[in-house]
Amino acid sequence: ILILCQAVPFATSSDTTTTTPPPPPSTPLPPTQELEINAFVDVALGRRDMHRLEKVEEEWHQRPVDIALIDQNISLDGKDFILGTDIARSLHQNHFTGVACILTASSNNHAETLSQLTGVDLVLPKGTPPATVAAELLAALEAKRAAAA
């Protein structure tokens, strides 16, 4: 399981754009955000070393993760923002076969909207008990594998 939440950024950049709210999904992403999303996708797909965060040659690619658990609103140094749904969409565009789960503090109505977006397999509210999160993730993974078989 690969988990992305508010933590150390994957990519490094000297971009110092001003603080702005997260862009709508149709808005092109600033370079820093695009770098971060691409780095996350590379880690999830085994194309970037998970520990050193460096890209690896194709023959050294690791096995892709089965589950990507992604926070919906990720702040990069309080200046740039990434939406988890943008990461899920990019995973989907890169042929990710695992489960992309979005964690959100949004209302149930907004969570339902998020669950309909491309690449999102599951949306869970923040504060869901860990045992429930694990059960939901495993059920979604089993269902996705069964559908692909």
Side-chain angles (χ1 to χ4, degrees), residues 42-125:
D42 285 345
V43 169
L45 295 176
R47 301 184 301 213
R48 185 179 292 262
D49 182 273
M50 191 176 296
H51 304 287
R52 294 188 312 268
L53 300 178
E54 298 170 352
K55 282 201 168 199
V56 294
E57 297 297 324
E58 189 169 346
E59 65 267 14
W60 295 104
H61 283 187
Q62 301 169 2
R63 181 176 147 337
V65 300
D66 294 314
I67 298 169
L69 187 59
I70 313 164
D71 192 358
Q72 173 57 2
N73 295 296
I74 301 168
S75 173
L76 304 175
D77 298 331
K79 297 176 184 175
D80 295 316
F81 296 88
I82 297 176
L83 296 178
T85 48
D86 287 339
I87 295 171
R89 181 177 46 254
S90 186
L91 284 167
H92 176 77
Q93 291 168 344
N94 282 273
H95 311 288
F96 178 62
T97 59
V99 170
C101 176
I102 302 295
L103 290 178
T104 183
S106 298
S107 68
N108 287 342
N109 290 342
H110 187 64
E112 179 63 30
T113 301
L114 295 177
S115 70
Q116 302 303 312
L117 297 176
T118 300
V120 176
D121 298 302
L122 182 63
V123 177
L124 294 173

Side-chain angles (χ1 to χ4, degrees), residues 23-24 27-34 37 81-83 86 89:
T27 303
L29 295 171
T32 300
Q33 294 170 339
E34 193 67 32
I37 290 171
F81 296 88
I82 297 176
L83 296 178
D86 287 339
R89 181 177 46 254

